[in-house]
Amino acid sequence: MSVIDIQKAFFDFFKTPDINQGVQEYKAIPGAVLLDVRMPQEYREGHIPKSKNVPLQSIEKALSVVKSKNSPVFVYCHSGARSRQAVGALQKMGYENVKNIGGIASYTGKVER
């Protein structure tokens, strides 16, 4: 690995996900699931259309929303911290295709209430 590769890997580690790009990727994949891991009250205050709410504290309930462990799952929260934790938990549960897309605080698209 070259010095440039190491530097790129280092800076990629600190790069925050782009939720707007993540939602576009979600929309482009048939059968993908958009998972909001915020609390139900936060979800009711505004969420991305077609997202499913499974709070981080009860992430094991994702099984009721995401039936197949190979389904593409795009995970978001408010800022990206809980979604990062949720991705790790989902991977430990056997989900193979999960991605943290960040926080709705940076989302520029339409939200539902």
Side-chain angles (χ1 to χ4, degrees):
M1 197 177 224
S2 73
V3 172
I4 292 171
D5 290 337
I6 292 169
Q7 287 175 332
K8 182 182 179 320
F10 177 78
F11 288 110
D12 282 351
F13 178 77
F14 289 103
K15 191 171 118 184
T16 57
D18 179 347
I19 191 166
N20 298 294
Q21 179 183 338
V23 169
Q24 291 306 318
E25 290 175 27
Y26 152 74
K27 288 178 178 178
I29 301 173
V33 177
L34 185 59
L35 199 61
D36 182 327
V37 296
R38 297 175 300 151
M39 297 301 290
Q41 179 182 341
E42 293 174 286
Y43 183 79
R44 286 190 300 271
E45 290 170 1
H47 57 272
I48 299 170
K50 298 187 180 170
S51 63
K52 306 293 183 195
N53 184 224
V54 178
L56 174 61
Q57 292 80 352
S58 53
I59 197 66
E60 70 282 350
K61 293 182 180 169
L63 287 166
S64 65
V65 175
V66 188
K67 306 288 187 213
S68 170
K69 294 202 175 179
N70 354 336
S71 291
V73 182
F74 293 82
V75 186
Y76 75 93
C77 62
H78 177 75
S79 67
R82 285 178 281 181
S83 54
R84 187 176 339 109
Q85 292 176 13
V87 164
L90 289 165
Q91 288 171 333
K92 285 180 183 171
M93 291 167 59
Y95 287 92
E96 300 169 7
N97 195 0
V98 291
K99 181 176 184 177
N100 175 16
I101 61 170
I104 196 170
S106 303
Y107 182 59
T108 57
K110 180 182 161 188
V111 295
E112 290 181 340
R113 288 182 165 58

